[in-house]
Amino acid sequence: MNEDKSIRQPWPRSAKITVWVLGVAFVIASVGLVLMYQELQVLESANKLLLDYWGNAVLSDPMIEYSGTDSH
């Protein structure tokens, strides 16, 4: 009767260490991605604020048309 049951073997020590290290690396990588995404959002917000403040003034400046590199 009990012959059909499989006997569970404990994991080898190296496998436990490998899984633990990969888990920690995954958590660190995930936190890094979240922090980079948040930094990107902050930079995009700052860029939008700068464009809202300076964008129209710079784009409508008539001297831009004459500020070419030709200085003959």
Side-chain angles (χ1 to χ4, degrees), residues 18-63:
T18 301
V19 169
W20 186 84
V21 168
L22 288 175
V24 170
F26 177 76
V27 169
I28 291 172
S30 298
V31 169
L33 287 174
V34 168
L35 292 175
M36 287 191 315
Y37 179 77
Q38 288 177 345
E39 182 69 21
L40 180 63
Q41 295 300 317
V42 168
L43 290 174
E44 286 179 350
S45 296
N47 190 30
K48 185 177 181 324
L49 287 173
L50 287 174
L51 284 176
D52 287 346
Y53 185 75
W54 289 104
N56 292 335
V58 171
L59 293 176
S60 63
D61 188 355
M63 291 305 293

